[in-house]
Amino acid sequence: MRIEVVPSVEEIRFDQISNHVVIVIDVLRASSTIVTALGNGCVSVIPVETIGQANALRTAGCLLAGERHCRKIPDFDCNNSPTEIAARSLTDKQLILTTTNGTRAIQKAERAAALLIGCFLNATACMSHALSFHLDVTLYCAGTRSEFALEDGLAAGLMIAQAQKMAPHFQVCDLGEALKASYLFFADRISELLPQTTTGKRLMQHHFADDVSYCAKVDQYRLVPFIKEKRILPHLVS
């Protein structure tokens, strides 16, 4: 079995999706928001690409969350903010989410054998669940504005390090080995590094320091979001 890394949203190929487990990684912030929502009582998350699609699905039992270039979408309930989501009453609610990159990555990879959502918050649980399928794994970094995002790469590096502990026979692509080495070098300084990344700086400028700090936390959840019939549902890893 093999682990490959895709560095940004536009670069995924069909051969990296077909018969693969794909983990979409958007640390700042879509993946972190999804994990947090499901970890705090949300029944499901519906990812959509456009604002119009989100508004069309609005019902009394839903919350609409989303952003475009860090800014909350007018008339939505929340930004794409895990700390704002965590402060809401989510029990039995459904979250409809649209973001700049993360939800696009989810839709591009929808033909995967299994499609999971990962970030620092659930990295070990996510990789453990991915390995249970006994298929090749693609770590799909959403990136930022069609470019590689360091925070996504470091989360991928953490997942690779954990995968090699659980299943040493895994082959890893060269980019994956580089990202693992980068994660191991920065492992004790993730919370200091994230505000210095391109996306981190942008979020800090928009006064989302709490989100950046929160998204740097490792293995806060044993929950793995997975996509089924265009909905994201929670899977708990024992």
Side-chain angles (χ1 to χ4, degrees):
M1 292 187 290
R2 177 176 170 81
I3 298 176
E4 290 189 60
V5 180
V6 177
S8 69
V9 69
E10 307 293 352
E11 298 182 59
I12 195 85
R13 303 190 311 267
F14 180 71
D15 63 281
Q16 295 169 318
I17 297 170
S18 179
N19 204 35
H20 282 59
V21 177
V22 177
I23 301 175
V24 172
I25 303 172
D26 189 355
V27 170
L28 295 173
R29 298 169 285 174
S31 291
S32 301
T33 294
I34 292 165
V35 170
T36 300
L38 294 174
N40 285 272
C42 195
V43 174
S44 66
V45 178
I46 301 178
V48 296
E49 192 163 352
T50 70
I51 296 168
Q53 288 170 333
N55 280 316
L57 292 171
R58 189 193 288 265
T59 66
C62 291
L63 285 176
L64 267 62
E67 52 79 26
R68 287 298 182 268
H69 305 301
C70 298
R71 298 182 185 278
K72 176 178 171 287
I73 296 168
D75 299 325
F76 273 35
D77 300 297
C78 310
N79 199 308
N80 171 33
S81 165
T83 59
E84 186 179 352
I85 291 290
R88 291 271 182 163
S89 175
L90 297 173
T91 303
D92 297 328
K93 293 281 189 180
Q94 187 166 253
L95 186 72
I96 300 168
L97 179 68
T98 180
T99 74
T100 307
N101 277 323
T103 49
R104 277 204 303 141
I106 290 167
Q107 293 193 339
K108 279 178 171 286
E110 64 184 2
R111 294 188 180 182
L115 184 52
L116 315 179
I117 308 296
C119 54
F120 285 115
L121 295 171
N122 71 337
T124 300
C126 194
M127 184 51 73
S128 175
H129 187 48
L131 296 182
S132 72
F133 290 90
H134 304 288
L135 295 171
D136 291 345
V137 176
T138 297
L139 302 179
Y140 185 11
C141 300
T144 179
R145 300 185 180 181
S146 299
E147 295 182 350
F148 172 72
L150 179 57
E151 65 276 1
D152 295 346
L154 291 172
L158 166 58
M159 292 181 196
I160 290 167
Q162 296 298 77
Q164 289 180 327
K165 289 179 184 177
M166 298 179 221
H169 59 279
F170 251 95
Q171 295 179 348
V172 178
C173 71
D174 287 352
L175 176 57
E177 290 288 1
L179 293 174
K180 180 188 75 171
S182 296
Y183 169 75
L184 293 174
F185 182 78
F186 287 115
D188 296 331
R189 291 172 284 162
I190 296 296
S191 61
E192 299 169 22
L193 182 63
L194 256 59
Q196 303 304 317
T197 68
T198 298
T199 318
K201 288 177 181 176
R202 196 178 297 131
L203 288 169
M204 299 295 284
Q205 290 168 357
H206 284 83
H207 310 293
F208 288 111
D210 287 349
D211 276 353
V212 177
S213 176
Y214 175 83
C215 293
K217 296 180 179 180
V218 174
D219 288 341
Q220 299 297 297
Y221 293 91
R222 297 293 298 169
L223 177 147
V224 182
F226 70 98
I227 286 77
K228 182 178 182 181
E229 297 173 354
K230 299 188 183 298
R231 294 176 186 266
I232 306 175
L233 303 170
H235 173 83
L236 286 174
V237 176
S238 58

